[in-house]
Amino acid sequence: MFKKILIANRGEIAMRVIRTCKEMGIKTVAVYSTADKESLHVRFADEAVCIGPPASADSYLNIPKIMAAAEITNADAIHPGYGFLAENASFSEICEEYNIKFIGPGPEMIRKMGDKITAKETMIEAGVPVVPGSEGLITDIAAGKKLAKKIGYPVMLKATAGGGGKGMRRVFAEKDFEKEFRSAQKEAKASFGNDGIYIEKLIEEPRHIEIQIAGDQYGNVCHLSERDCSIQRRHQKLVEECPSPFVDQALREKMGNSAIKAAEAINYEGVGTVEFLVDKNKDYYFMEMNTRIQVEHPVTEEVIDYDLIKEQIKIAAGIPITGREYFPRLHAIEVRINAEDPYNDFRPSPGVITELHTPKGHGVRVDTHVYGGYAIPPHYDSMIGKLITVAQTREEAIATMKRALDEFILEGVKTTIPFHKQLMENKDFVEGNFTTHFLETFELQPEEDKD
Ligand code: MV4
């Protein structure tokens, strides 16, 4: 087992990794930018190394500085968390060269899944259902139009280097094809430096349902059921839950087996997520695979009673997984607490937290790095914590969520708490009746008068 793990991240996920390391008797090294000097991950790690100024490019994304911190502290492994370098194939490769274990998959696997068309081809070969569409990239407008017609409108144009909706365009008729194609290409080039575009049939009113998987160094793979992440706003997830109100046991087993096939096909090592789009007929299609721990991993942990960070560390250390099948016996919901103003287009709201009381009690978990008096720096993403509730049923998990949100006091900055309070009262949400388009029509009511 590792003796010392460097955590190449910040915020709640750095705290999350430190907690598990402590329980496993592994020493921790925090790295931090000057903006994060007062952060809890710096205080709770055994050692901390300042790696530069606030800008991510000069600190959390700066590979030489992170490798230097790992060398001087004698760390034998690096946990990348999510975001930053978590899916950077070169970083995984450099860790290999330094003989420091990257807690996650090797560079080839990250590269394969990072390029969407290669990922899709790999899944077709493995027998995983994918959205009907082009084989390979479209370079020629006339050929693209011909193919779109064959697939049948509406279609979706996607960037092979994509993710997060960048370079993605819906096309409803041939007359719009050329314009949308050029605009997708331009956006992909600007965002990723790669203008490769492919075409898919547009799946209308889909749900975003992902399967958590774990694979060890010996080819064993298991799945840990699904998470429903359909409640998103501009490709930012706001609420996640397990099980999905839309998934029955038959669908769970089918999707779970497909996710296992996907991971086996690439000899996947680590925990990962296979994302699917699910249509109203319960047909499902591979979308992408994430080769990292995800923000929403706690809902799976709560329903299955399984520490996914511990599993990541064990897999990286060469310990085999037990390969059991896991099914949700409980219901967990996570809401993201962001320092954003939901009444002002979710505009970031950094600043000092003047007062903080987090909810507690049965069925409540709060993962956060913030404390009363903490100054949220403006340089990073605005998520400041996650509130997770768990109960026997979805109805009870929502009831617990409502009372936990009422107990949450966080003053000094705007947060997404008022949004979540209203969401928990929404009839369609409560009935489990939602798709990825849900928030396009959700209307936030004016803030209640407290006086
Ligand atoms: C789609 C789709 C409909 N049809 N592909 C969004 C992010 C990217 N990873 C894939 N995405 C989508 N791909 C086809 N063929 C709809 C989306 C999509 C979406 C997916 C999941 C969650 C939220 C979404 C919001 C808008 C569009």
Side-chain angles (χ1 to χ4, degrees):
M1 184 43 70
F2 307 115
K3 291 189 173 59
K4 198 188 269 186
I5 294 177
L6 179 140
I7 299 138
N9 214 303
R10 62 180 300 281
E12 71 84 22
I13 193 65
M15 282 298 292
R16 172 72 192 83
V17 176
I18 291 170
R19 288 187 173 122
T20 287
C21 287
K22 285 200 172 165
E23 291 170 13
M24 295 177 78
I26 300 169
K27 293 270 186 258
T28 52
V29 180
V31 293
Y32 64 99
S33 74
T34 51
D36 279 336
K37 194 163 176 290
E38 304 300 330
S39 219
L40 286 189
H41 77 285
V42 175
R43 192 181 317 173
F44 284 106
D46 295 295
E47 290 169 78
V49 181
C50 183
I51 52 167
S56 301
D58 301 323
S59 51
Y60 299 105
L61 287 172
N62 188 306
I63 297 175
K65 285 181 180 169
I66 290 168
M67 297 317 294
E71 290 243 286
I72 59 169
T73 55
N74 236 330
D76 47 9
I78 295 182
H79 195 300
Y82 49 68
F84 296 123
L85 297 170
E87 286 168 296
N88 184 309
S90 308
F91 184 54
S92 172
E93 196 160 39
I94 290 164
C95 289
E96 268 177 14
E97 285 161 12
Y98 273 66
N99 237 334
I100 294 174
K101 180 65 186 172
F102 177 80
I103 301 176
E108 323 75 52
M109 240 171 268
I110 298 177
R111 270 194 198 107
K112 217 178 218 177
M113 293 300 119
D115 183 74
K116 305 305 166 198
I117 199 84
T118 309
K120 197 172 170 184
E121 279 162 6
T122 310
M123 294 308 149
I124 293 170
E125 231 166 273
V128 177
V130 301
V131 186
S134 59
E135 278 168 40
L137 299 175
I138 302 297
T139 45
D140 173 76
I141 303 242
K145 275 188 185 171
K146 206 172 145 194
L147 189 69
K149 196 172 211 165
K150 189 169 153 230
I151 294 166
Y153 286 96
V155 299
M156 180 78 109
L157 304 178
K158 289 187 174 180
T160 190
K166 288 242 173 69
M168 218 170 71
R169 291 288 183 283
R170 291 187 280 189
V171 191
F172 290 91
E174 186 171 284
K175 68 172 175 42
D176 303 322
F177 187 91
E178 182 162 351
K179 184 175 103 246
E180 297 296 343
F181 184 83
R182 290 193 195 282
S183 114
Q185 244 183 349
K186 203 171 147 201
E187 189 173 303
K189 180 85 188 164
S191 308
F192 315 111
N194 173 347
D195 68 358
I197 301 289
Y198 62 101
I199 310 182
E200 286 185 347
K201 176 92 191 148
L202 178 75
I203 308 297
E204 291 174 273
E205 303 284 320
R207 291 190 173 234
H208 172 137
I209 297 174
E210 55 188 34
I211 304 279
Q212 176 72 54
I213 57 111
D216 66 20
Q217 296 179 5
Y218 314 98
N220 307 303
V221 180
C222 70
H223 82 80
L224 297 102
S225 79
E226 79 280 5
R227 291 185 288 260
D228 194 318
C229 308
S230 302
I231 306 290
Q232 316 199 350
R233 187 182 170 276
R234 301 190 187 159
H235 304 290
Q236 293 293 323
K237 295 170 186 167
L238 276 158
V239 179
E240 304 96 351
E241 60 182 302
C242 175
S244 164
F246 194 66
V247 174
D248 52 35
Q249 186 57 19
L251 181 58
R252 179 172 302 117
E253 284 179 28
K254 278 202 294 183
M255 291 178 71
N257 285 333
S258 289
I260 288 175
K261 268 202 263 179
E264 280 175 347
I266 57 170
N267 260 312
Y268 190 74
E269 177 195 327
V271 308
T273 303
V274 186
E275 294 185 353
F276 294 99
L277 286 175
V278 184
D279 69 15
K280 58 180 185 302
N281 306 317
K282 294 196 153 80
D283 285 324
Y284 62 93
Y285 310 92
F286 170 81
M287 204 171 22
E288 25 190 280
M289 178 163 183
N290 301 318
T291 56
R292 60 169 190 275
I293 190 77
Q294 286 188 278
V295 174
E296 58 270 26
H297 75 276
V299 295
T300 303
E301 296 188 324
E302 293 304 317
V303 297
I304 296 184
D305 189 22
Y306 191 101
D307 180 335
L308 283 165
I309 303 289
K310 186 189 257 182
E311 206 54 34
Q312 279 191 299
I313 295 170
K314 283 165 65 179
I315 289 167
I319 298 171
I321 61 170
T322 47
R324 258 175 43 211
E325 293 221 343
Y326 299 91
F327 295 108
R329 295 173 302 109
L330 300 170
H331 199 103
I333 303 179
E334 170 180 285
V335 302
R336 298 194 188 189
I337 313 292
N338 299 341
E340 292 172 355
D341 182 0
Y343 292 99
N344 202 342
D345 205 30
F346 288 79
R347 199 161 71 187
S349 175
V352 176
I353 297 175
T354 52
E355 201 171 336
L356 179 70
H357 169 83
T358 57
K360 294 162 182 83
H362 184 64
V364 176
R365 166 174 171 181
V366 178
D367 279 19
T368 185
H369 60 294
V370 307
Y371 52 87
Y374 173 75
I376 302 161
H379 316 280
Y380 311 106
D381 80 27
S382 57
M383 197 185 73
I384 50 174
K386 305 178 298 200
L387 168 59
I388 304 109
T389 63
V390 58
Q392 300 275 334
T393 64
R394 186 169 190 271
E395 203 181 352
E396 290 166 296
I398 291 173
T400 306
M401 184 61 79
K402 285 198 225 175
R403 80 96 176 134
L405 286 164
D406 277 338
E407 244 178 70
F408 219 126
I409 299 170
L410 200 164
E411 283 169 14
V413 300
K414 306 274 191 213
T415 75
T416 45
I417 292 171
F419 163 85
H420 291 304
K421 283 183 179 170
Q422 290 187 28
L423 180 67
M424 294 300 138
E425 304 285 352
N426 179 277
K427 184 169 177 290
D428 284 328
F429 177 76
V430 168
E431 289 174 359
N433 180 23
F434 50 79
T435 71
T436 57
H437 298 295
F438 179 83
L439 291 185
E440 291 164 19
T441 53
F442 179 77
E443 282 187 32
L444 201 62
Q445 300 306 307
E447 220 161 348
E448 59 189 83
D449 209 333
K450 279 177 193 155
D451 303 316

